Amino acid sequence: MKKRILSVMLFAFISSVFVSAQNNTLTEKEKSEGWKLLFDGKGFEGWRKCHGDQMAANWEINDGAMKVKRGQTAGRGQGGDILYYAEKYSNFELSIDWKIEKEGNSGIFYYVTEVPGEPIYYSAPEVQVLDNWNASDNRLTNHLAGSLYDMRSALPQNAKPAGEWNTIIIRVKDGKATHVQNGEKVVEYTLWTPEWYEMIAKSKFKDWQGFKDGPAKEGYIGLQDHGYDCWFRNIKIRKL
């Protein structure tokens, strides 16, 4: 019995090492399809603080993922919103794995433009990252994980609980956008259309000049510091 237990433990360890080794890498097929890694699991090359020239201090590499650390007060970020500054993107497909702590809240942005004095979300669409079960911001369906934040609900809602990995794929081509969460399309919309501006008019962004004017038709990819522990890995993108 003891040998069997040891064998099972050894198999589990080898399996975990193998899975870990596959994270933050591209297959030959992905390379041929034009995918590019934005994070190698080891460092923050290509990333920096929004409105800064260095990486935000409250991020670390944790078990092959980039992790933003909880602030002293839960839910209050430390000014650590970051962006991938090495390149701007217009038509793209972006894939990211994320997990978050209990009660956690964060976000993924695209078409980020740095407007002096304005936050990362001033004009950039946000894809919500959330612990749907325990976060205080879970009362509206368009605030749940995978949603176009405060504008279009992710339905059917298929996010996994706090502490478990989710995969979101954001695709934008000539203004037509989709969010695929954990293998299922949950959001669809088209930017810069009458429908788009109707959604803005019904949202918290209705009086934001950045949303009235934008979003821009290209920009940076960004990740939010919302004051909770949140992990991101397997961040990869391809131009369309």
Side-chain angles (χ1 to χ4, degrees):
M1 177 63 73
K2 185 180 290 186
K3 287 184 178 179
R4 182 179 178 184
I5 292 173
L6 288 173
S7 296
V8 170
M9 292 175 63
L10 180 61
F11 176 78
F13 173 76
I14 293 173
S15 297
S16 66
V17 171
F18 178 77
V19 171
S20 178
Q22 303 310 302
N23 287 322
N24 308 306
T25 61
L26 295 176
T27 65
E28 291 304 316
K29 183 174 184 293
E30 287 174 324
K31 291 176 184 177
S32 69
E33 292 172 343
W35 288 93
K36 171 186 175 181
L37 278 178
L38 303 190
F39 172 61
D40 65 2
K42 301 174 183 178
F44 293 110
E45 183 178 356
W47 295 85
R48 63 168 169 80
K49 181 178 177 178
C50 184
H51 298 301
D53 56 9
Q54 295 182 344
M55 184 61 190
N58 60 323
W59 288 74
E60 66 181 11
I61 306 298
N62 181 273
D63 194 24
M66 51 168 49
K67 176 189 176 185
V68 59
K69 296 182 286 185
R70 170 193 278 262
Q72 290 184 342
T73 302
R76 184 174 297 174
Q78 302 174 65
D81 296 333
I82 62 171
L83 49 82
Y84 184 76
Y85 72 89
E87 191 167 1
K88 293 181 179 180
Y89 293 92
S90 179
N91 294 322
F92 65 89
E93 190 169 14
L94 171 70
S95 180
I96 300 182
D97 294 350
W98 63 267
K99 70 175 179 179
I100 198 158
E101 69 167 317
K102 185 177 180 180
E103 301 182 357
N105 188 334
S106 188
I108 301 165
F109 301 96
Y110 67 89
Y111 289 166
V112 175
T113 57
E114 292 177 288
V115 179
E118 299 294 348
I120 193 172
Y121 46 80
Y122 176 68
S123 64
E126 177 182 355
V127 180
Q128 176 75 314
V129 169
L130 195 77
D131 169 13
N132 286 348
W133 288 263
N134 303 291
S136 60
D137 194 20
N138 67 355
R139 295 175 178 82
L140 299 176
T141 59
N142 61 12
H143 286 198
L144 298 180
S147 297
L148 174 65
Y149 180 70
D150 208 58
M151 293 175 66
R152 179 63 60 86
S153 303
L155 298 171
Q157 183 47 240
N158 63 349
K160 297 176 183 178
E164 295 187 24
W165 285 104
N166 295 266
T167 299
I168 189 79
I169 300 174
I170 305 158
R171 189 180 194 277
V172 184
K173 172 68 172 175
D174 298 330
K176 295 181 179 179
T178 58
H179 304 174
V180 174
Q181 183 166 257
N182 296 324
E184 189 168 11
K185 184 166 74 173
V186 294
V187 174
E188 189 170 15
Y189 53 93
T190 304
L191 299 159
W192 313 299
T193 61
E195 179 191 28
W196 170 259
Y197 291 107
E198 286 175 14
M199 288 196 298
I200 291 174
K202 296 176 182 178
S203 76
K204 65 187 293 182
F205 308 115
K206 62 183 180 181
D207 296 322
W208 293 33
Q209 196 61 45
F211 273 80
K212 290 180 180 180
D213 295 340
K217 295 196 174 181
E218 72 168 9
Y220 299 114
I221 302 300
L223 301 175
Q224 187 176 34
D225 166 22
H226 207 307
Y228 296 96
D229 285 345
C230 188
W231 295 256
F232 300 92
R233 71 180 185 192
N234 293 327
I235 306 173
K236 51 193 174 185
I237 197 167
R238 65 172 174 172
K239 295 179 180 179
L240 299 175

